[in-house]
Amino acid sequence: MPPTENARFYRNLENAREAARKKNGYDSATTLREMKRIFEVACPGKSPYPWQLDVAEALVLGLDCTVLAGTGFGKTMPFVMPGFITNKMTL
């Protein structure tokens, strides 16, 4: 269960997942599994943190995200990972 302070993010993420599933058959589990697989190929011996996958998926679904974390916590990866599974340019 996500921390209480993140409840709004997770509600928004769940709503976006459901809307995408209804609109175009989006499958969250498949998306997360594929991003994790490609991450692990690109970064041998490492796995993405769950929060990195959540942020990356939110970006794939078109949600705006702000990530606050200290130096070295892996903030860059969630913004790169959508490019693993889409042909769209990511910034």
Side-chain angles (χ1 to χ4, degrees):
M1 166 127 346
T4 307
E5 63 269 14
N6 296 326
R8 187 172 69 169
F9 168 78
Y10 284 100
R11 270 194 316 275
N12 290 340
L13 182 56
E14 284 300 322
N15 290 339
R17 285 172 175 156
E18 182 63 18
R21 186 191 64 74
K22 287 179 181 176
K23 182 178 180 182
N24 59 21
Y26 176 78
D27 182 359
S28 176
T30 299
T31 298
L32 293 171
R33 192 170 38 251
E34 185 64 5
M35 283 193 293
K36 183 177 187 288
R37 184 189 69 76
I38 295 170
F39 180 101
E40 290 171 347
V41 168
C43 303
K46 298 192 182 269
S47 289
Y49 293 106
W51 69 265
Q52 290 174 311
L53 290 167
D54 291 339
V55 171
E57 182 183 23
L59 295 170
V60 166
L61 292 169
L63 297 175
D64 294 330
C65 294
T66 301
V67 176
L68 301 173
T71 301
F73 276 80
K75 296 178 298 291
T76 301
M77 289 313 297
F79 298 95
V80 173
M81 291 180 350
F84 294 169
I85 61 165
T86 181
N87 292 328
K88 296 178 184 177
M89 182 172 68
T90 60
L91 298 175

